[in-house]
Structure formats: structure tokens, C-alpha cells
């Protein structure tokens, strides 16, 4: 119970806000360092590919972006489930904060894939199973963002967005396993958990450095964005801090000064942070 209380403590926006502020500079600095190292290894140190020549270097960004596009959607869906089950306000805010970054990486995946596909396949775009399912992922991200902006009722937008995210989770395994389930032009995975990587170690190093850079970048911008959401939705949490927020040790915060759409002056109820 004590460990659970400690973790629930950080579900309070008043506690999470200053913690995120302390983490953002370090995450941003680490992202820049890993990105610089990954680009140097991938563009300078790694040799040309024996079959694709220099054009394969696009894959250091393309593959890392593709992984992040799927990973961030799963993280958003996890926050959506937590928000619906435990009614945690911070979960809904994290869900919103991650969406633009996920959409960015999905677009980057499709764009770099087109740049790689033209000299490799001879076409900017084909209705390949993996490309099409990745495009659907972009539509899911954009649909979620549009749904959040469609109403001023915060509670309703959060819950409807969470349901959309959970419904769209089925697309992620389709993206990942599409090259196994259907006959596609897209090459299979170079890295998986059951066999050794099929690429040279220096190429693998560059790719993993870029994955780490993108992950750290995503964490930094998501925390910055969620701080803005906390300041917008619960300005009292920004100034009160963990001591004055009340009932932080149990993870419960009284929201009697806010109604369902976050406006003051309406009766509220007890809910988890």
C-alpha cells in the first residue's frame, strides 16, 4: 500500500508539474546528444550498403520514426485506459500531450519512406500493406487531435478521445506484422527479439542511437506540453505545489470548484488526480 501511495502521489497534477519542469532540460539535452551521435555514426562512420549504396542512410531516421509512431500510440492508449478506469485527470492530459508528437513521427515515417522508396522501388508511394496501415495510423492521430478540438467540454473530449484510441489499437499489430501476413514490397524487420540482427553492428548502433534520441525528444516535448495543459486546466495546481494541493498522499483530490467542463462555480465530486 505504501508503494502504491507513493506512485499515486505523482498522479496529482500539483506534484507532477514541478517534477516535469525539472526533467525537461535533462531530457532535451540527452536527446540532442544522442541525435548528434546517431547522425554522426549513421552518416559518417557507417559504410555504404552493398546493395542500396548511400540511400539506405534514410533508414536510420525512417525506422526510428516508425518505431516511435507505433510506440507513442500504444502509450497514449495505455493512458486512455488508465483515465477511463481510474478517472485520473493527469492520464487524460498525458494522452493529449503525446498526440502531436506521435502524429509528427508518423508523418516523418511516411515522408522518409517515400524518399527511400523512389530510388529503391521506383515509386514515391505504393498501396503496400505496411504503408497503408501506417497512413491509417496518421489518420487516427489526426482524428484524435480533431476530436479534442471539436468541443469545449473537456471531460467529454477526454473520454471520447480515449475510446477512439483504444479502438484504434488494433492497427498497431497490423502495421508490425503486415510484412508477414501479406505479400508486400516492404522489406521485413531487420531487428526482432527472436533472431540476431541482420545488419552490421555499426549500422545497428546508429539506428539505436536515433531511437534513443527520438524517445528522449518525445518525453521532453510531452512533459512540456502537459505542463501547459495543467496550467490551463488547473492553474491552482501550478502555484499551490504538493503541500497545499491537499490529500496528495492518498492520490485523491477534491474537485468541488470545477464542473465537468473544467469551469468554476459548478458542483464537483471526489475523483482521482
Amino acid at each position: 500500500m505504501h508503494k502504491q501511495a507513493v506512485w499515486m502521489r505523482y498522479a496529482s497534477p500539483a506534484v507532477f508539474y514541478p517534477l516535469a519542469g525539472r526533467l525537461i532540460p535533462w531530457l532535451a539535452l540527452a536527446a540532442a546528444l544522442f541525435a548528434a551521435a546517431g547522425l554522426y555514426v549513421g552518416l559518417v562512420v557507417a559504410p555504404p550498403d552493398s546493395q542500396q549504396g548511400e540511400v539506405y542512410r534514410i533508414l536510420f531516421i525512417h525506422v526510428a520514426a516508425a518505431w516511435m509512431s507505433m510506440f507513442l500510440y500504444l502509450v497514449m492508449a495505455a493512458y486512455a485506459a488508465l483515465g477511463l478506469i481510474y478517472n485520473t485527470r493527469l492520464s487524460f492530459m498525458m494522452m493529449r500531450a503525446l498526440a502531436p508528437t506521435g502524429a509528427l513521427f508518423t508523418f516523418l515515417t511516411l515522408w522518409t519512406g517515400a524518399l527511400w522508396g523512389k530510388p529503391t522501388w521506383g515509386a514515391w508511394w505504393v498501396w503496400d500493406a505496411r504503408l497503408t496501415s501506417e497512413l491509417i495510423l496518421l489518420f487516427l492521430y489526426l482524428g484524435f487531435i480533431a476530436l479534442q478540438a471539436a468541443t469545449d467540454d473537456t471531460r467529454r473530449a477526454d473520454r471520447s478521445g480515449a475510446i477512439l484510441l483504444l479502438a484504434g489499437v488494433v492497427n498497431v499489430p497490423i502495421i508490425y506484422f503486415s510484412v508477414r501476413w501479406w505479400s508486400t514490397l516492404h522489406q521485413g524487420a531487420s531487428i526482432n527479439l527472436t533472431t540476431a540482427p541482420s545488419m552490421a553492428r555499426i549500422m545497428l548502433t546508429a539506428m539505436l542511437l536515433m531511437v534513443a534520441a527520438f524517445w528522449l525528444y518525445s518525453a521532453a516535448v510531452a512533459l512540456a506540453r502537459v505542463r501547459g495543459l495543467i496550467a490551463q486546466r488547473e492553474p491552482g495546481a501550478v502555484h499551490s505545489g504538493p503541500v497545499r494541493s491537499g490529500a496528495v498522499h492518498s492520490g485523491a483530490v477534491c474537485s468541488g470548484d470545477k464542473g465537468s467542463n473544467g469551469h468554476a462555480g459548478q458542483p464537483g465530486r471526489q475523483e482521482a488526480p
Side-chain angles (χ1 to χ4, degrees), residues 117-188:
K118 179 59 176 177
T120 305
W121 295 343
W124 296 104
W125 177 268
V126 294
W127 291 103
D128 178 88
R130 174 160 286 183
L131 272 66
T132 303
S133 53
E134 185 74 14
L135 180 62
I136 292 174
L137 182 64
L138 178 61
F139 290 156
L140 286 171
Y141 275 119
L142 296 179
F144 172 82
I145 295 172
L147 185 60
Q148 300 300 290
T151 177
D152 293 330
D153 189 335
T154 301
R155 188 182 301 275
R156 182 178 180 182
D158 286 342
R159 295 186 175 277
S160 57
I163 294 172
L164 173 63
L165 288 175
L166 294 175
V169 164
V170 67
N171 188 55
V172 175
I174 292 176
I175 296 173
Y176 185 80
F177 292 108
S178 57
V179 294
R180 300 184 186 181
W181 293 345
W182 296 286
S183 176
T184 73
L185 289 174
H186 205 286
Q187 67 185 53

Side-chain angles (χ1 to χ4, degrees), residues 41-60 116 119-120 187 190 198-204 207:
V41 174
L43 300 180
V44 179
V45 179
D49 184 74
S50 59
Q51 295 180 345
Q52 300 182 38
E54 299 289 351
V55 72
Y56 90 99
R57 299 184 193 278
I58 298 174
L59 297 180
F60 294 130
W116 176 80
T120 305
Q187 67 185 53
S190 300
S198 60
M199 63 175 60
R201 182 172 298 179
I202 190 65
M203 298 176 182
L204 176 62
M207 187 173 296

Side-chain angles (χ1 to χ4, degrees), residues 1-11 248-251:
M1 291 295 293
H2 176 69
K3 291 182 178 180
Q4 182 180 6
V6 171
W7 282 109
M8 287 296 293
R9 178 174 182 268
Y10 289 101
V248 172
H249 65 280
S250 64

Side-chain angles (χ1 to χ4, degrees), residues 12-15 17-18 230 234-246 248 253:
S12 167
V15 176
Y17 184 87
I230 292 174
E234 304 185 22
V238 175
H239 304 291
S240 63
V243 176
R244 293 171 56 191
S245 60
V248 172
V253 177

